[in-house]
Amino acid sequence: RFGATSVKLALERSRAVIDVSQAKAYGGRVAGQFVVNGRKSLSVGADLIFAGMDLQSLLRDFAGYERLVGTGDFRVQFLGSGGSVDAIMQGLEGSGSVALGQGEILGLDIGGMLRTLDSGFVGEGQKTIFDSLTGNFVIADGVLQNDDLVMVASFATVKGQGKLGLGARNINYRLRAEEAVGDKTLTAPNLINGPCAAPKPSLDLEEVAQ
C-alpha cells in the first residue's frame, strides 16, 4: 500500500531497473533500487531503505505476520533467481539491518518468563514491551541468520540469535533475557521454533537447569 511515489524505470533487453527516489508507505518512506532481470533466467534484486515504517501493517501485508508492533528503520539488500517465487525465496542471498524504537512483541511475555521461570507466558493477551530493538542479518540459500539482536526493555536486556527460513517459512531462534540481581545475573533463555504462521515459544529448560 503506497502513497505519493516517485520512480524512474529503465528497461533494456529484458532487464528492468526501478529507481525509487521516494515512496510513502506504511507511515514511512522507501527509497532505493529494484532490479528484475530476465535475460537468461529470471532474477530479482534490490537495495532498499525503509524509514519510519509501521512494522505491524507492513509485515501483515508481506508475510501475514502481526506479532511485531512498532515503528522503525531497516535496510535490505538481496538477490534471488529462479522460475517461481518459491525458487527465488529458497535461494535468496543478501544482508540488512533493523533499528526499532519503542514497540511490542505480541503473544509472548519475556518479562513474565524471567520473573517466574515459567514457560506459560505465551498466547493471547501476552506481550513484551520494549524500548528499542536493533540487529543485523545475512541471508544465504533462503535462510536469514541473525547473531546480534539486542532488545532493551524495562525488565532486562534481551539478546537473540537464530535463523528464519524465508523459503521454508520457519523459525529457529533463541532469546536470552538477562537481569542483574545483586552480584549475580538472572537469565531466562527462551526458544522460538516452528512455522512462521504459528511459532512456539518455550523456556530452554536444559539451560535453566545448568
Side-chain angles (χ1 to χ4, degrees):
R1 300 179 183 179
F2 291 94
T5 301
S6 177
V7 301
K8 179 181 179 180
L9 170 64
L11 178 62
E12 181 183 2
R13 294 191 299 115
S14 300
R15 183 176 185 268
V17 179
I18 304 168
D19 286 304
V20 183
S21 57
Q22 177 176 293
K24 292 184 178 180
Y26 300 95
R29 295 177 292 106
V30 184
Q33 187 179 81
F34 191 87
V35 179
V36 181
N37 191 342
R39 290 179 178 174
K40 293 184 179 179
S41 61
L42 176 64
S43 66
V44 294
D47 184 352
L48 298 170
I49 297 173
F50 301 79
M53 307 300 288
D54 176 352
L55 270 297
Q56 188 179 43
S57 296
L58 177 70
L59 293 175
R60 179 193 299 124
D61 283 358
F62 277 87
Y65 185 80
E66 301 184 57
R67 296 180 182 271
L68 183 58
V69 180
T71 301
D73 307 332
F74 56 98
R75 178 169 186 168
V76 61
Q77 298 173 291
F78 67 84
L79 177 65
S81 61
S84 66
V85 173
D86 180 65
I88 291 172
M89 296 300 289
Q90 293 283 358
L92 209 62
E93 307 282 336
S95 62
S97 62
V98 59
L100 307 183
Q102 190 175 57
E104 301 176 359
I105 300 174
L106 304 181
L108 171 66
D109 182 357
I110 299 174
M113 287 186 175
L114 178 64
R115 290 190 301 271
T116 64
L117 294 183
D118 181 355
S119 61
F121 287 81
V122 298
E124 190 71 25
Q126 304 289 349
K127 65 181 178 180
T128 299
I129 299 174
F130 58 84
D131 296 319
S132 66
L133 187 152
T134 60
N136 299 280
F137 59 86
V138 295
I139 306 170
D141 295 326
V143 178
L144 184 151
Q145 172 82 44
N146 163 256
D147 295 315
D148 65 350
L149 180 92
V150 177
M151 184 178 72
V152 179
S154 61
F155 59 86
T157 295
V158 181
K159 298 181 179 180
Q161 63 180 76
K163 297 180 179 180
L164 175 65
L166 301 176
R169 299 183 65 80
N170 57 18
I171 185 170
N172 183 356
Y173 205 81
R174 179 187 298 271
L175 294 169
R176 293 175 57 91
E178 299 179 350
E179 182 178 20
V181 180
D183 60 348
K184 297 184 178 181
T185 300
L186 179 64
T187 300
N190 297 274
L191 300 175
I192 303 175
N193 293 294
C196 290
K200 295 182 179 179
S202 63
L203 279 172
D204 185 344
L205 296 179
E206 181 179 351
E207 186 170 338
V208 169
Q210 293 174 352

